[in-house]
Amino acid sequence: YAMGLLNNASFVIMLAGAKDISEGGTALVYMANTFPCLIVTTTSPYWFHKFSYRSRINVSSILFSMSFITVAYFSVPNTFYDHESTNWQLLGVAFGSFGGCMGETSLLALAGRFEGAVQPCIASFSGGTGAAGVFGYFFVLLLHDWCGLKFGWTLMIGNVV
């Protein structure tokens, strides 16, 4: 359950903060949040067998962290990169998408290795992914909207949690 929740929470958090990432361009955030996953899903049968489950989950975790850090860092106005900050933030969203899809496909494939427990593993993971929608939006609502934190700080707190 927890793996499904944590794996999909970043997807939802990025969608909840789409207006802060790209003002008026929420479709860009959505595309940056889904297109990399399509690439991983369609190509994974050709390269997943070359890497262990542990290494794929570790890379997924690193990509989640990179995602939150990149979007948070470039959400702060600065004269050095102001004109390109949206592009960098979309790259950060794409990092999270790659990580989420790599984690999801790895964890679902790993569930097949537990004989007799495949059904409960997949059902529990699926329950966690559903809860990620509520958790992610509530996380942004609580920290960003109610507490008044900037979206970048919300992401940095999410990186710690």
Side-chain angles (χ1 to χ4, degrees):
Y1 185 85
M3 295 303 282
L5 177 87
L6 294 174
N7 188 69
N8 287 5
S10 70
F11 177 83
V12 177
I13 289 171
M14 292 300 178
L15 289 180
K19 287 279 190 192
D20 294 302
I21 295 170
S22 175
E23 188 66 37
T26 54
L28 288 174
V29 175
Y30 184 77
M31 289 180 64
N33 217 355
T34 55
F35 186 67
C37 188
L38 178 65
I39 293 170
V40 171
T41 304
T42 56
T43 63
S44 62
Y46 303 107
W47 57 274
F48 261 27
H49 65 281
K50 297 180 180 183
F51 302 97
S52 68
Y53 288 105
R54 180 178 297 233
S55 64
R56 292 194 310 248
I57 297 300
N58 286 338
V59 168
S60 178
S61 299
I62 291 167
L63 286 169
F64 284 139
S65 184
M66 285 174 50
S67 171
F68 281 15
I69 289 170
T70 304
V71 174
Y73 179 76
F74 288 102
S75 69
V76 178
N78 188 322
T79 57
F80 176 68
Y81 57 78
D82 190 43
H83 66 285
E84 296 178 13
S85 65
T86 302
N87 295 338
W88 285 104
Q89 288 180 1
L90 291 174
L91 178 65
V93 172
F95 286 154
S97 178
F98 274 119
C101 195
M102 186 181 302
E104 183 171 342
T105 52
S106 296
L107 290 168
L108 289 175
L110 182 62
R113 298 180 64 113
F114 296 102
E115 286 191 37
V118 174
Q119 181 81 20
C121 285
I122 292 177
S124 179
F125 182 84
S126 299
T129 61
V134 175
F135 172 79
Y137 275 101
F138 184 73
F139 184 80
V140 172
L141 181 72
L142 176 70
L143 294 176
H144 182 57
D145 295 338
W146 292 349
C147 292
L149 292 176
K150 300 270 187 201
F151 186 63
W153 283 109
T154 302
L155 291 176
M156 293 308 286
I157 291 170
N159 222 1
V160 174
V161 173

